[in-house]
Amino acid sequence: MLGETYCTTDYAAIRRWMQARNIRPTIDTSTGRLVIGYPGYQEVGVLEEISWGEFYERLDREGLALMYQEETALGEISHWARLVRYGPEANDWPL
């Protein structure tokens, strides 16, 4: 469905979505936070690319899932995503 938001912890789905948009797994070295490395984007601090294995390990350890959209409401490819906490204590899960 156009503009629909999804949330997943599935490694293959996360990697497939990110690679289709040329997005890399990264950390902000000034905060140590796991972030989504959009091409050409540099937030305050220094973004450092990490391996997919480290990215998955951090997702699990920090209880994070990828919330994302496949398409915009107009049917165009969407680049909207964020990392959210999930589990019994998290307000972000389920959607």
Side-chain angles (χ1 to χ4, degrees):
M1 177 183 274
L2 299 179
E4 189 168 325
T5 301
Y6 303 95
C7 200
T8 188
T9 58
D10 180 81
Y11 295 159
I14 292 169
R15 188 171 186 162
R16 184 172 42 254
W17 187 90
M18 290 176 65
Q19 286 183 327
R21 290 153 179 84
N22 199 29
I23 297 171
R24 312 302 301 165
T26 56
I27 57 170
D28 181 329
T29 58
S30 69
T31 64
R33 285 182 40 230
L34 194 61
V35 295
I36 300 169
Y38 290 97
Y41 179 74
Q42 183 74 8
E43 70 179 47
V44 177
V46 178
L47 299 184
E48 180 180 300
E49 188 173 332
I50 59 174
S51 70
W52 286 105
E54 184 177 350
F55 186 71
Y56 301 145
E57 188 274 325
R58 294 274 308 261
L59 288 174
D60 288 343
R61 186 174 72 226
E62 297 174 25
L64 298 172
L66 180 70
M67 184 184 296
Y68 65 99
Q69 289 182 332
E70 287 288 349
E71 297 178 320
T72 67
L74 299 175
E76 299 169 347
I77 190 168
S78 177
H79 288 80
W80 183 88
R82 68 184 263 212
L83 297 174
V84 296
R85 295 203 184 282
Y86 70 93
E89 293 82 33
N91 293 327
D92 298 273
W93 186 276
L95 298 176

